[in-house]
Amino acid sequence: MNAAKTAKTLMWICLVVISALSLFPFYIMIVMGTHYNEDLFKGIPILPGDYLADNLKTVMSADFMSVYLNSLIVSVVSVVLATLTSTLIGYALAKFEFRGRKALQTFVVLTMMVPTQVGLIGYIIEMRNLGVGNTLWPVILVWAAFPFGAFFMVQFIRDSIPNDLLECARIDGCSEPGIFVRIVLPIMKPGLATLATLVFLWSWNNYLLPLVTINKSEWYTLPIFISNLGIVHRTDYAARMLALTLTTVPVLILFVLGSKTFMKGLTAGAVKG
């Protein structure tokens, strides 16, 4: 065996070991959801147990599907809202010259440096004054002003869409909305897919904002639901693990289906020439 084959074999062995180590926590989470709660304190289970049906009954009896629908609504609407506003802001800052453009771009960057917790109280008061407190709207509307999304779109559009292409479209008589819909959006598909994936993951797993803005159980999202699951008479960790497994499935499917586009969007503009 020559040196090249040996190096390739070692590389594959390393990749298999790293993949196994990365997937092992997910396997343990799935297996723990099939065991009796008290058995989990005896040690980490390796093989599946016999209490999957009982744990599933505990999860479903706590109105899991309604909470699941709440999280799905929040994530999907957040993706639409964040991608729409971020794309429009990014396109304007990247391709148009107007007074205050640099100041606005600096403001977007500065807002990225402000911790979420700093503006949390003011945001809650604002939502209450708007009359949408203690509903799903505070968890959704926070994505309408998404500084990272605007910054990401500015960089993506600046690197991916040449100005000459836009000028050619204007010379041919295409209107500005037509240029945006027919030329800009098709080129931006990798960037849109990347941003949509990130927003979906972050809104799906968001715990802090729903915790401080939602008090009614009918508006709970999955992170809040799981933290409160099985605490009436005892803390049912097995049921929580099963709920976590059901919660992780759509995220894994989304990432697997969009992994190629996701990586393409992240690396867009990284290589030039």
Side-chain angles (χ1 to χ4, degrees), residues 92-111:
L93 292 178
K95 295 300 177 183
F96 288 90
E97 291 290 340
F98 56 90
R99 183 179 296 178
R101 184 179 67 88
K102 290 185 178 179
L104 185 58
Q105 190 168 347
T106 304
F107 176 74
V108 171
V109 175
L110 289 176
T111 52

Side-chain angles (χ1 to χ4, degrees), residues 229-247:
L229 182 64
I231 61 173
V232 178
H233 303 293
R234 59 171 185 159
T235 303
D236 196 337
Y237 293 104
R240 287 186 180 184
M241 286 298 167
L242 182 60
L244 279 175
T245 302
L246 297 174
T247 304

Side-chain angles (χ1 to χ4, degrees), residues 58-76:
T58 302
V59 174
M60 292 301 173
S61 63
D63 206 10
F64 177 77
M65 296 309 297
S66 176
V67 177
Y68 206 92
L69 181 61
N70 287 343
S71 279
L72 197 60
I73 292 173
V74 168
S75 298
V76 172

Side-chain angles (χ1 to χ4, degrees), residues 1-14:
M1 183 180 294
N2 54 36
K5 288 186 176 179
T6 303
K8 190 174 182 179
T9 303
L10 290 175
M11 181 190 71
W12 278 107
I13 292 174
C14 290

